[in-house]
Amino acid sequence: MRGFTPAEFQARTTRAQERMAAQGLDGLLLMSEPDLRYFSGFHTLFWQSPTRPWFLFVPASGKPIAVIPEIGAELMRRGWLDDVRTWPAPRPEDDGISLLTELLSPLAARGARLGVMKGHETLLRMPLGDWERLLAALPGLEIADATGLVQGLRMVKTPAEIEKLAHICAIGSATFEAVPQFVSEGMPLDAVFREFRRTAIGLGADDAPYVVGAADQGGYADVISPPTQQPLRAGDVLMLDTGCTWDGYFCDFDRNWAIGQADDAARRAYDVLWRATQAGIDAARPGATCRDLFQAMSAVIAELDDSGGDIGRLGHGLGMQLTEQPSHAAFDTTVLQENMVLTIEPSLSYGDGLMMVHEENIVVTDGTARLLSTRAATELAILR
Amino acid sequence: MRGFTPAEFQARTTRAQERMAAQGLDGLLLMSEPDLRYFSGFHTLFWQSPTRPWFLFVPASGKPIAVIPEIGAELMRRGWLDDVRTWPAPRPEDDGISLLTELLSPLAARGARLGVMKGHETLLRMPLGDWERLLAALPGLEIADATGLVQGLRMVKTPAEIEKLAHICAIGSATFEAVPQFVSEGMPLDAVFREFRRTAIGLGADDAPYVVGAADQGGYADVISPPTQQPLRAGDVLMLDTGCTWDGYFCDFDRNWAIGQADDAARRAYDVLWRATQAGIDAARPGATCRDLFQAMSAVIAELDDSGGDIGRLGHGLGMQLTEQPSHAAFDTTVLQENMVLTIEPSLSYGDGLMMVHEENIVVTDGTARLLSTRAATELAILR
């Protein structure tokens, strides 16, 4: 089923309000696509246009209030919210600022605390100049960082969210399984990407917005570039990494193949990474920390690469965004809880500047983690 | 050809530095994907991950300096920049802030003016808390709004940019032309979207990230929603609007069709909009303002709808983003210049809460605007 029930949005809001009360917050002002969608259900691709800001105010009690461009009114009013305030955006001299000032003035008058997203992995999705004007119009309002509160809520998925994530991970798995049917030596890498996208969408993904990868002799050196037109050659290691979406939720995992033949170094790197991935999956239990997962994977990676790496982390949360909190890194002591959906993503360097990445998607349960992606083959598969 | 020559990036930088000098700016600090790409050529889908901030400093003279996560180093160093500074992001306690502080301290020490994007259609793509920390670490630095400077440069496309835009618009046109081959009565709307995406990618688009539309009896009421599973019925008006991409540049236009038959109201709305579009295209000459285009289109729209509308504008700039400056709106007095690429996008309300939209993509020349999209049919086409 697409979308969520009003009861789900009510429950999310109630949980947020309980935490707001505990932290002395009198309201939340949210602006980013996933944060708005989490509490309102507002789902549109229109966010790809940077022109208009969108706002959602979560009060201490009662339903959230939307302050949005008129172009979104019809869609927002079909959802569970009652109070939808609009202006004919774009209107550069007043893009929602007077509506927000009116809404927040009572809070400012009593010196209330407003939570906004100021921390790690956030951005300010409105013009900085407008933000400064809004603050100036609301003297007395105290701004507090609500990053931990909102990310803490979003990190633990609801059963309905997990269903969507499982669905898109299954589509991602089916797409990777189809790769040997359409990829072979001589195919240009950009054609591989193109056919991968078409296959994912044909298999039921709404879209495949994130398709990256690389292919080169004995391995690759970079995992975030657009594809070249270089034809696949015997001895290449091909990696494809994808974030496909269904109903606004992402999968995010990758697969490696060798073209025609694999050398020992690539096969060894693959084996170490497969076992590092398994160590991460096995460590993913309630009560363990993200740091524990990082260390479990690092211990295996160190068989081949003891540099500690510089990618920064070995996996992350997954949901409405391709990457979400938490991070499997030494700095992140987030305690895992049941129903967190995570990527397990070890990487290593080998040979002369080569790297390899592996990734699976899991949901934390009260026992062993449940795989949402179909586990990669234990040995580096050969495409012929 | 994909990408741009180093000479193009040098020329863009020189133009920016000329304007910086004229405005008394000692540097620009850029953070958004299109702004970074415009000056560095750094092109990756990795921006879909919100985890890491990315920075580019444009000095008063010399090449820009990149301050980016280590994961992007390999790709950035392949480009034209010489000075690429990295840190192992994510590192929440210092995500580039100490590197930026080191870079900008000499400017702060002499009370220099740093331009950042603070205005309309911008956002702060870094955590607000980190921005506040950066400012606190750089007392004496004056922050100025560089929105007009950067948007003013990006608004006027180079010949190499126009080639890319023409290429993706041609692919968009071919995709719309193929619609009668795969759409017919009874097809669920979400299947229409899916096949549209697959067709666009098959015809050469790198991706079709923006596919929206609607279909309902006699017309539609909303143009930004995800598709329903409702099968197309005789008497529906179907609209598809797409932003497809090639090498990081967008097309953005739409088409309308009637399923089986069209009623008089829909045919009349279509005719008025077709002529409003033509009026916009005809008005798009160097020296005219965006407001002139808005008024030229509005005069035709008023034949059927004199409400003035509440979508906010009747078209916009087009480039690396689906929507860019300027806006065809009463508030925007930007003077059109040769080589601006624009959407011409009138919309109107009719009947009982229905709306219709039309859109074409053009480039302003020294004479009549050149169409980049294949002009829509003069009458509402019927799909059978």
Side-chain angles (χ1 to χ4, degrees):
Chain A
M1 189 196 81
R2 290 191 180 250
F4 296 98
T5 63
E8 168 129 3
F9 293 115
Q10 181 60 66
R12 294 178 185 179
T13 303
T14 301
R15 278 196 296 276
Q17 288 167 338
E18 287 165 1
R19 294 184 187 210
M20 288 160 61
Q23 297 181 25
L25 289 179
D26 302 291
L28 294 178
L29 182 63
L30 304 174
M31 308 172 199
S32 78
E33 193 275 339
D35 290 339
L36 253 82
R37 178 148 53 99
Y38 190 73
F39 290 106
S40 72
F42 187 70
H43 186 197
T44 169
L45 292 177
F46 200 71
W47 290 86
Q48 289 178 46
S49 165
T51 301
R52 297 168 177 85
W54 305 75
F55 305 101
L56 192 78
F57 175 69
V58 182
S61 64
K63 290 186 179 183
I65 296 167
V67 179
I68 61 169
E70 177 61 30
I71 197 169
E74 162 86 13
L75 178 60
M76 186 66 91
R77 291 199 172 105
R78 264 187 255 151
W80 83 294
L81 297 188
D82 301 323
D83 192 346
V84 178
R85 307 177 186 186
T86 71
W87 79 96
R91 191 173 62 190
E93 78 276 14
D94 179 15
D95 257 336
I97 301 306
S98 61
L99 286 175
L100 286 178
T101 303
E102 185 190 345
L103 174 67
L104 299 174
S105 284
L107 273 75
R110 60 184 170 90
R113 290 182 81 212
L114 179 71
V116 300
M117 303 296 275
K118 294 181 63 172
H120 186 48
E121 308 211 12
T122 71
L123 51 80
L124 183 74
R125 200 195 179 280
M126 68 182 289
L128 179 59
D130 280 359
W131 170 248
E132 292 170 350
R133 286 166 58 201
L134 180 65
L135 287 190
L138 295 166
L141 191 66
E142 187 189 340
I143 303 297
D145 186 5
T147 305
L149 190 158
V150 174
Q151 289 181 343
L153 280 172
R154 282 183 43 200
M155 240 182 244
V156 181
K157 268 60 183 181
T158 65
E161 286 185 291
I162 292 171
E163 265 185 45
K164 293 181 199 297
L165 286 158
H167 185 64
I168 188 59
C169 286
I171 290 169
S173 295
T175 307
F176 281 122
E177 278 158 29
V179 164
Q181 295 161 33
F182 63 79
V183 173
S184 57
E185 191 182 332
M187 189 172 186
L189 188 59
D190 64 344
V192 174
F193 277 45
R194 200 178 299 286
E195 200 52 33
F196 187 90
R197 276 209 159 90
R198 282 171 49 84
T199 302
I201 296 169
L203 287 167
D206 290 340
D207 199 7
Y210 190 73
V211 179
V212 300
D216 217 331
Q217 290 287 295
Y220 41 87
D222 166 42
V223 295
I224 69 167
S225 294
T228 63
Q229 293 171 280
Q230 173 79 42
L232 295 174
R233 294 158 297 174
D236 278 357
V237 176
L238 166 68
M239 186 278 292
L240 293 172
D241 184 6
T242 193
C244 297
T245 54
W246 189 81
D247 203 22
Y249 282 77
F250 272 94
C251 68
D252 177 22
F253 58 105
D254 62 36
R255 291 295 178 258
N256 292 276
W257 300 265
I259 308 299
Q261 75 227 27
D263 64 23
D264 287 346
R267 283 191 284 142
R268 170 109 167 96
Y270 187 96
D271 173 65
V272 172
L273 274 183
W274 195 95
R275 289 184 289 107
T277 307
Q278 195 60 45
I281 296 170
D282 293 344
R285 289 164 181 265
T289 65
C290 290
R291 177 189 286 171
D292 294 337
L293 265 65
F294 174 80
Q295 289 172 340
M297 288 183 265
S298 296
V300 181
I301 292 168
E303 290 180 24
L304 198 61
D305 173 13
D306 58 4
S307 69
D310 49 18
I311 298 298
R313 59 180 179 177
L314 303 179
H316 50 78
L318 179 67
M320 290 183 281
Q321 290 169 290
L322 180 68
T323 75
E324 296 188 351
Q325 296 264 315
S327 291
H328 305 324
F331 65 75
D332 196 331
T333 54
T334 301
V335 176
L336 298 193
Q337 298 175 57
E338 203 176 331
N339 294 338
M340 284 185 174
V341 174
L342 304 170
T343 71
I344 301 293
E345 186 178 11
S347 58
L348 55 71
S349 298
Y350 68 103
D352 184 17
L354 302 178
M355 66 182 299
M356 192 177 278
V357 293
H358 269 224
E359 193 169 13
E360 302 284 3
N361 297 162
I362 62 168
V363 55
V364 178
T365 75
D366 60 359
T368 309
R370 173 185 154 211
L371 274 162
L372 297 181
S373 49
T374 301
R375 190 77 170 92
T378 52
E379 294 189 0
L380 180 55
I382 312 287
L383 294 181
R384 294 184 194 279
Chain B
M1 190 197 78
R2 290 191 181 250
F4 296 98
T5 62
E8 167 127 8
F9 294 116
Q10 181 60 66
R12 293 178 187 180
T13 302
T14 300
R15 278 195 297 275
Q17 288 166 337
E18 288 165 0
R19 293 184 188 209
M20 287 160 62
Q23 296 181 25
L25 289 178
D26 302 291
L28 294 178
L29 182 63
L30 304 173
M31 311 173 198
S32 78
E33 194 275 340
D35 290 339
L36 253 81
R37 177 149 52 99
Y38 190 72
F39 289 106
S40 71
F42 188 68
H43 186 199
T44 168
L45 292 176
F46 200 71
W47 290 86
Q48 290 179 46
S49 166
T51 300
R52 296 167 178 87
W54 305 75
F55 305 101
L56 192 77
F57 175 68
V58 182
S61 63
K63 289 186 180 185
I65 296 166
V67 179
I68 62 169
E70 178 60 31
I71 198 170
E74 162 85 13
L75 179 59
M76 186 67 90
R77 291 199 172 107
R78 264 187 256 152
W80 82 294
L81 297 189
D82 301 322
D83 191 348
V84 178
R85 308 178 186 187
T86 71
W87 79 97
R91 190 174 63 189
E93 78 277 14
D94 179 17
D95 257 337
I97 302 305
S98 61
L99 286 175
L100 286 178
T101 302
E102 186 191 343
L103 175 67
L104 298 174
S105 284
L107 274 75
R110 59 185 170 94
R113 292 182 80 211
L114 179 70
V116 300
M117 303 295 276
K118 295 181 63 171
H120 184 49
E121 307 210 13
T122 71
L123 52 80
L124 183 73
R125 200 194 179 279
M126 69 182 288
L128 178 59
D130 280 358
W131 171 249
E132 293 170 351
R133 285 167 59 202
L134 181 65
L135 288 190
L138 295 166
L141 191 67
E142 186 189 341
I143 302 298
D145 186 5
T147 306
L149 190 158
V150 175
Q151 289 181 344
L153 279 173
R154 283 183 43 200
M155 240 182 244
V156 180
K157 268 60 183 180
T158 65
E161 286 184 292
I162 292 170
E163 263 184 47
K164 294 181 199 298
L165 286 158
H167 185 64
I168 189 59
C169 286
I171 291 169
S173 294
T175 308
F176 282 123
E177 277 158 30
V179 164
Q181 294 160 33
F182 62 80
V183 173
S184 58
E185 191 180 333
M187 188 172 187
L189 187 58
D190 64 346
V192 173
F193 277 45
R194 200 177 301 284
E195 201 51 35
F196 187 89
R197 275 206 161 91
R198 282 170 50 83
T199 301
I201 296 168
L203 287 168
D206 290 339
D207 198 8
Y210 189 73
V211 180
V212 300
D216 217 333
Q217 290 286 294
Y220 42 88
D222 166 41
V223 295
I224 69 167
S225 294
T228 63
Q229 295 171 281
Q230 173 80 42
L232 295 174
R233 295 158 297 176
D236 277 356
V237 176
L238 166 68
M239 185 277 292
L240 292 172
D241 184 5
T242 193
C244 296
T245 54
W246 190 81
D247 203 22
Y249 282 76
F250 272 95
C251 68
D252 177 21
F253 58 105
D254 63 34
R255 291 295 179 260
N256 292 276
W257 300 265
I259 307 299
Q261 75 224 28
D263 65 22
D264 287 347
R267 283 190 286 145
R268 170 110 168 92
Y270 187 96
D271 174 65
V272 172
L273 274 183
W274 195 96
R275 288 184 289 108
T277 306
Q278 196 58 46
I281 296 170
D282 293 343
R285 289 163 179 268
T289 65
C290 290
R291 177 190 284 171
D292 293 337
L293 264 64
F294 175 80
Q295 289 172 340
M297 288 184 264
S298 296
V300 181
I301 292 167
E303 290 179 24
L304 198 61
D305 174 11
D306 58 5
S307 69
D310 48 20
I311 298 297
R313 59 180 180 178
L314 303 179
H316 50 77
L318 179 68
M320 289 184 281
Q321 290 169 290
L322 180 68
T323 74
E324 295 188 351
Q325 295 263 319
S327 291
H328 305 323
F331 65 74
D332 197 330
T333 53
T334 301
V335 177
L336 298 193
Q337 297 175 56
E338 204 175 332
N339 293 339
M340 283 186 175
V341 174
L342 304 169
T343 72
I344 300 293
E345 186 178 11
S347 58
L348 55 71
S349 298
Y350 68 103
D352 185 15
L354 301 178
M355 67 182 299
M356 192 177 278
V357 292
H358 269 225
E359 193 169 12
E360 302 284 5
N361 297 161
I362 62 168
V363 55
V364 178
T365 75
D366 61 357
T368 309
R370 171 185 155 211
L371 274 162
L372 297 181
S373 50
T374 302
R375 190 77 171 94
T378 53
E379 293 189 3
L380 180 55
I382 311 287
L383 294 181
R384 297 185 192 279

